[in-house]
Amino acid sequence: MINFEPLADVVNNGKNFLITTHVNPDADAIGSEIALYFILKSLQKKINIVNYSSTPYYLQFLDPDNAIQQFNPEKHESLFSEVDVIIHVDLNRCSRTVKMEPYIKGSKALKIIIDHHEDPEDFHDHLIADTSYSSTGHIIYDFLEKTKITPISPDIAIPIYAAIMTDTGSFKYDRTTPRVHRIAAHLLEIGVNPTDVYRQIYDESKFTKYKLLGRGLESMNLFNDGNLAVMTIYQKDLAECDALETDTDGFINFCMGVEKVVVGLFFLELEDGFKASLRSKGNYSVHKLAALFGGGGHRNASGIRIRNHKMYEFKDKIIEETIIMINKGYDEVQN
């Protein structure tokens, strides 16, 4: 059970806030930021949202005020010393803010984490977190419900709904509880149009994404008697399809849709390294697997991001460790 009193005190007493999230933000990250933005705006606070990455085109509708700024050291360096409070949403490791990390850690501002991932790094003053929550947006909803600090307006409801919907896999993942559905129903009563939110996130993709998906599906291979599916996208695929890194969002789900597959790996080559998305079914803990390579996340959904190394240096080892994990079985993986 989260104690929301420290967050309520900071929100009430703080004057100048900076909100940020992880590199390559998803709908939970953007939705949580914008929900907080409208909460603080209703309380007449000064607010800046600064992210290392740009907002994906399919999530820009969540930011009607165009409040999110992309990090620029020359423009934002002084901001970190001017604010009273820095709120980090949907992340618990400062390294996930990339080049913003030294500015954040060097700031004397009060630092708050609002998150639902495992194994938080100790760089905060207040940790508002619980891994049993479906999403960070879910935590923000409960904060509003329990503190009544401001009413849940449609401007707040829409990004919270987007956060919960996407992080539950459109209400199909394990953390989709009766309460999650009751929250979704309440947000619809406030004015959220679920068809419109889903359409803008999932049904308005650029054609280049589907060209890239074709490359990804063609690359898919099965290992370990069909229990493991692996998909890979290279920089040349992005260039030849005129696609963006954010276009790969959701590709890992195609690995998990193959019969017999219990673990899926999606590898994406980056200009300065690579990242791997890990998904699993049941009690196979890809979180523990990701931790072997400096990554993290949830039991069934985690990620690894390694900079300044080539993907081929790690890919085979990650596949090898995944097969070892699968072959240990459910009980040993949990222990």
Side-chain angles (χ1 to χ4, degrees), residues 120-133:
E121 176 192 355
D122 185 11
F123 71 96
H124 54 272
D125 296 290
H126 296 294
L127 178 64
I128 311 299
D130 188 328
T131 59
S132 69
Y133 275 80

Side-chain angles (χ1 to χ4, degrees), residues 46-113:
K46 185 175 182 180
I47 318 135
N48 280 277
I49 307 176
V50 181
N51 293 340
Y52 178 75
S53 304
S54 61
T55 302
Y57 65 87
Y58 51 86
L59 298 178
Q60 290 174 0
F61 78 99
L62 295 174
D63 183 15
D65 286 1
N66 293 315
I68 297 175
Q69 307 167 55
Q70 188 170 6
F71 176 64
N72 180 327
E74 294 181 3
K75 179 180 177 181
H76 295 116
E77 180 177 6
S78 62
L79 182 63
F80 292 90
S81 60
E82 294 169 0
V83 297
D84 307 318
V85 182
I86 301 176
I87 302 180
H88 309 79
V89 299
D90 201 42
L91 66 83
N92 58 22
R93 293 186 175 276
C94 199
S95 61
R96 299 207 68 205
T97 63
V98 197
K99 294 180 181 179
M100 294 172 61
E101 180 179 12
Y103 298 97
I104 291 170
K105 288 189 171 180
S107 173
K108 295 181 180 180
L110 195 70
K111 299 176 184 68
I112 295 177
I113 294 173

Side-chain angles (χ1 to χ4, degrees), residues 274-278 289-296 302-306 318:
F274 76 96
K275 71 176 185 178
S277 299
L278 295 71
L289 180 63
L292 295 177
F293 299 92
S302 290
I304 300 165
R305 190 180 187 104
I306 296 179
I318 293 171

Side-chain angles (χ1 to χ4, degrees), residues 277-297:
S277 299
L278 295 71
R279 298 291 184 273
S280 66
K281 297 174 182 176
N283 289 319
Y284 292 102
S285 178
V286 290
H287 170 260
K288 294 181 180 179
L289 180 63
L292 295 177
F293 299 92

Side-chain angles (χ1 to χ4, degrees), residues 177-194:
T177 62
R179 171 154 174 76
V180 166
H181 279 295
R182 285 192 287 269
I183 291 170
H186 183 212
L187 297 173
L188 266 59
E189 290 168 351
I190 292 170
V192 173
N193 182 329

Side-chain angles (χ1 to χ4, degrees), residues 251-271:
F251 282 17
I252 184 66
N253 297 327
F254 289 92
C255 293
M256 301 308 295
V258 179
E259 63 176 352
K260 292 180 59 179
V261 166
V262 296
V263 178
L265 302 177
F266 172 70
F267 290 91
L268 176 62
E269 184 183 39
L270 306 173
E271 291 182 356

